[in-house]
Amino acid sequence: GKGIAEGGDGQGDRGKGGEAGGSAHFINLSNGAESLPLLSKLSVPYSYTRMQSSHCESQNFDGILSNLGPALLIHLAMGTTCYIHDYGSRNKKRKAPRAVWYGVTFVKYALHKLWDLEGEPATPMLRGHNVSGEFDRAIMRLDKGVKKQVRYYANYLK
């Protein structure tokens, strides 16, 4: 299975699955840099991704998906549980940056749809509201090039 951990402080849940695929850590540029000393101290290998809260705020879904980077997408496709470290401004209720609570929710849903995974995706909830209709419309309106870029990684699904 695939999973993206949702903890903004690096302590988040383990996401779904990942049993066979292990785990990988990603620093969200630039607000995840605070976790570099700890990851280095623990000798935890990491890569980088770019999930901008400004893209989430402006509902720039093309921007959210096109900036994830190949390392994150290939790891997710191969069944790796991926931890995204981000210390951006936290919502007091959610204790996580918008890039995490909004961006990760969209990415999980969009990948399920674009990779044509079995079953129905988990219902995407933002601020207590089901946003599957909005996300479905956003996926339909994605730039063809972004869809092609993301669908490419479905070739590596485990």
Side-chain angles (χ1 to χ4, degrees):
K2 287 119 218 61
I4 302 176
E6 295 186 39
D9 59 4
Q11 302 296 315
D13 81 42
R14 295 192 172 271
K16 294 181 185 173
E19 306 82 26
S23 64
H25 293 260
F26 291 83
I27 306 300
N28 193 21
L29 298 171
S30 60
N31 293 322
E34 289 181 43
S35 61
L36 288 173
L38 177 61
L39 293 175
S40 294
K41 182 178 179 181
L42 297 173
S43 299
V44 174
Y46 55 86
S47 291
Y48 296 93
T49 190
R50 181 81 168 125
M51 193 178 307
Q52 298 179 54
S53 60
S54 62
H55 285 164
C56 298
E57 291 161 8
S58 64
Q59 297 186 340
N60 178 356
F61 298 105
D62 288 313
I64 293 170
L65 291 175
S66 65
N67 287 292
L68 293 175
L72 179 58
L73 289 168
I74 194 80
H75 275 288
L76 288 170
M78 294 179 74
T80 306
T81 297
C82 295
Y83 296 91
I84 297 175
H85 298 266
D86 189 318
Y87 291 85
S89 61
R90 293 188 180 99
N91 175 293
K92 299 223 184 321
K93 289 182 184 174
R94 291 173 191 80
K95 297 190 179 1
R98 184 180 306 269
V100 173
W101 66 264
Y102 189 111
V104 168
T105 301
F106 175 71
V107 169
K108 284 181 174 182
Y109 189 81
L111 294 182
H112 193 102
K113 295 282 189 162
L114 292 170
W115 289 349
D116 198 26
L117 300 178
E118 289 183 25
E120 288 299 310
T123 301
M125 302 293 288
L126 294 177
R127 295 184 175 135
H129 299 284
N130 177 340
V131 293
S132 57
E134 291 94 317
F135 281 3
D136 284 335
R137 286 187 290 281
I139 291 165
M140 284 177 34
R141 291 190 306 262
L142 286 170
D143 178 79
K144 286 181 188 176
V146 172
K147 285 183 185 177
K148 183 178 179 181
Q149 173 190 352
V150 170
R151 285 184 175 139
Y152 167 80
Y153 294 93
N155 295 317
Y156 299 94
L157 288 170
K158 297 278 182 199

